[in-house]
Amino acid sequence: MKSHISLILLSTLQCNADCEYCFEDKTSDRLTLDRLGEMIRKVLDYMVEKSLGSLEIYWQGGEAMLLPPSWYEQANDLIRREAEARGKTVVHSLQSNMLAYSSRWNKVIADMFGNSVGTSLDYPNLHRKLLGHEPDTYNQIWARRVSEARAAGIEIQVIAVPNRATLELGAERFYSHFVDELGITDFQVNTPFPGGTGSTAKKALPVDEVAALGRFYTELADVWLARGRDCGVRVGPLDALLQHFGHQPATLPCIWSDNCANSLISIDARGYVAQCDCWVTSYPDYHYGNIFECDSLAKLLQTSPVRKQFNERPIQLIQRECLSCDYLSLCHGGCPVRTYTVHGSLFEKDPYCALYQQMFGHMEQAARKLARQASATPSLAA
Ligand code: SF4
Ligand code: SF4
Ligand code: SF4
C-alpha cells in the first residue's frame, strides 16, 4: 500500500434516478451514523497499522444526496474527530446526480467537499433518466440544479460516457455542448462497460466500437488542444495524459494504476468491502468481506481470496499479454472491471487496449509537439 488510500463510500444504495445502463443493484439500505463510526474507526485503524497518512473518501450512492445535509455535517465531525485522534488526514469528495440538490446543501458542500461536486451527464443523453420519464426530463432538472449550484459558487465536474449517438455526433459537437452551451470547464470522458445485470441499453453500449471511440477521443483531444487547453478547460483523461507525456506530475485515472487494489477500496451502506463501486454493488462473489463482521480491515484484506486475484492480475498480464507493449509502465493492463464485464475473467487485458494505445500515441505526439514549440519560443521555454 502507498501512503495514501482512497475509499469509495456508498452511503446509500437508493437512487432517485433510473439510468438504463446503471451497473448498481439498488436497495433501500442507508448507512447510519453509528455504523459509519464503526466503519471509519476500522478504516483509520488500518491506516495506522499500514502507516498510511491520508485518506480520500469519495461519497457516492445510489444517490448520495438522498441522505440529508445534516447527516453529512455530523459524519464530517465524526470522521474529523476519529482522524485527529490518530494523526490522519481525511479529505472528502462528493459524486451526485444533482437531482436532489438545493441551496440547503451549500454549507456542507463548502465545509466538507471543498465547494465542489462531481456529477454525470452524457451527450446526447440516451440512458440517464428518472423512473417513467424520458431522458430530456433528466437533462432539464440536471441543468437547472447545476446552474443553481454554480450560481452559489460551487465548482462542478462532469463525468460523461459516450454512447453510439455521441460517436455519430462527433467530438466537436460534444465539446461545444459541454463547454460552450453548458459552461462546464472540467469534464472527464469514461469508456462505457456493461456492469451488473444485463439490459438492452448495456448491450447497445459501444464497447466493441473501438475504432469509432478512438476517432472520437483523438478528435476530442485536438478540439481541446486547439480551443480549451490554454483557457483552463480540463478534459480527462486526455489532460492527464498530456501532462504525463510532458513529464509533468499527472493524476491518471485508476484504470491505468499499477494495481488499483493497492490504493483503493469501496465499502457500501451494508458494510460490504470490494474493489470499487461496481464490484461492491453488483458482484457479491467478488466481495472482499464485510467490515461489520471483521475485527480488522487489514486482516479482511490480507485473507480475502478475491483480493488475491486482483493482486495477481498485473503480473499475469505482464507475463502473458502486455509484456511487449510500449505503454506497459503507463497502462499495466488496464481496468479489471472493464475486463471482467466484457470477458468474464480478470486475467485478460482491458478490452479497450487498442483504444488506449491510440490515445497514448496521440497524446505523446501532442506533448512532443508542444515541447518543440516551447523550445522554439524562448518566452515559452523560460
Ligand atoms: S447511474 Fe447513478 S444516478 Fe443513474 S441510476 Fe445508477 S446510481 Fe442512480
Ligand atoms: S476495477 Fe477499474 S474502475 Fe474499479 S478501481 Fe479498479 S481500475 Fe478503477
Ligand atoms: S495498452 Fe494494451 S497491451 Fe499495453 S499495457 Fe495496456 S492493455 Fe496491455
Side-chain angles (χ1 to χ4, degrees), residues 8 23 190 193 253-257 259-261 263-266 274-279 288 310 313 334-339 346 350 356:
I8 299 175
F23 54 61
N190 284 358
F193 61 93
C254 58
I255 55 170
W256 297 322
S257 59
N259 178 4
C260 60
S263 54
L264 195 148
I265 52 168
S266 180
Q275 185 45 43
C276 63
D277 41 348
C278 184
W279 294 106
Y288 295 162
F310 277 86
R313 181 176 183 267
C335 164
V337 82
R338 283 167 174 74
T339 304
L346 285 180
D350 191 310
Y356 298 162

Side-chain angles (χ1 to χ4, degrees), residues 119-320:
T119 183
S120 305
L121 189 76
D122 305 334
Y123 184 68
N125 177 16
L126 301 184
H127 306 302
R128 300 193 72 85
K129 58 190 191 67
L130 287 95
L131 188 60
H133 291 267
E134 291 303 309
D136 262 356
T137 314
Y138 184 105
N139 294 351
Q140 283 157 17
I141 300 175
W142 184 91
R144 206 158 51 231
R145 301 287 180 255
V146 163
S147 125
E148 287 160 7
R150 292 173 71 207
I154 295 169
E155 282 177 37
I156 299 289
Q157 291 101 36
V158 175
I159 292 177
V161 178
N163 52 48
R164 283 178 201 272
T166 312
L167 302 182
E168 278 162 27
L169 216 59
E172 167 75 43
R173 190 69 200 91
F174 177 86
Y175 183 93
S176 296
H177 181 69
F178 279 103
V179 179
D180 304 333
E181 290 163 19
L182 297 177
I184 302 292
T185 54
D186 189 346
F187 61 102
Q188 176 174 318
V189 187
N190 284 358
T191 49
F193 61 93
T197 314
S199 71
T200 312
K202 287 177 199 175
K203 282 197 193 103
L205 292 172
V207 177
D208 51 358
E209 304 263 347
V210 172
L213 280 164
R215 210 165 33 247
F216 175 78
Y217 271 98
T218 51
E219 285 173 10
L220 183 63
D222 292 342
V223 176
W224 168 66
L225 287 163
R227 286 170 42 192
R229 177 181 164 264
D230 294 337
C231 314
V233 177
R234 299 178 52 192
V235 181
L238 301 164
D239 52 357
L241 286 175
L242 191 74
Q243 284 169 323
H244 171 83
F245 288 116
H247 309 290
Q248 306 290 319
T251 307
L252 292 162
C254 58
I255 55 170
W256 297 322
S257 59
D258 52 357
N259 178 4
C260 60
N262 279 341
S263 54
L264 195 148
I265 52 168
S266 180
I267 308 180
D268 75 10
R270 303 162 298 186
Y272 287 115
V273 182
Q275 185 45 43
C276 63
D277 41 348
C278 184
W279 294 106
V280 82
T281 54
S282 298
Y283 296 105
D285 290 349
Y286 282 83
H287 287 168
Y288 295 162
N290 190 303
I291 197 155
F292 300 129
E293 290 164 13
C294 74
D295 296 331
S296 140
L297 179 60
K299 204 161 146 206
L300 183 154
L301 294 177
Q302 232 161 36
T303 55
S304 158
V306 173
R307 189 158 177 272
K308 193 161 169 260
Q309 289 185 48
F310 277 86
N311 281 329
E312 281 168 2
R313 181 176 183 267
I315 189 72
Q316 286 215 20
L317 290 182
I318 291 169
Q319 284 167 352
R320 290 191 293 112

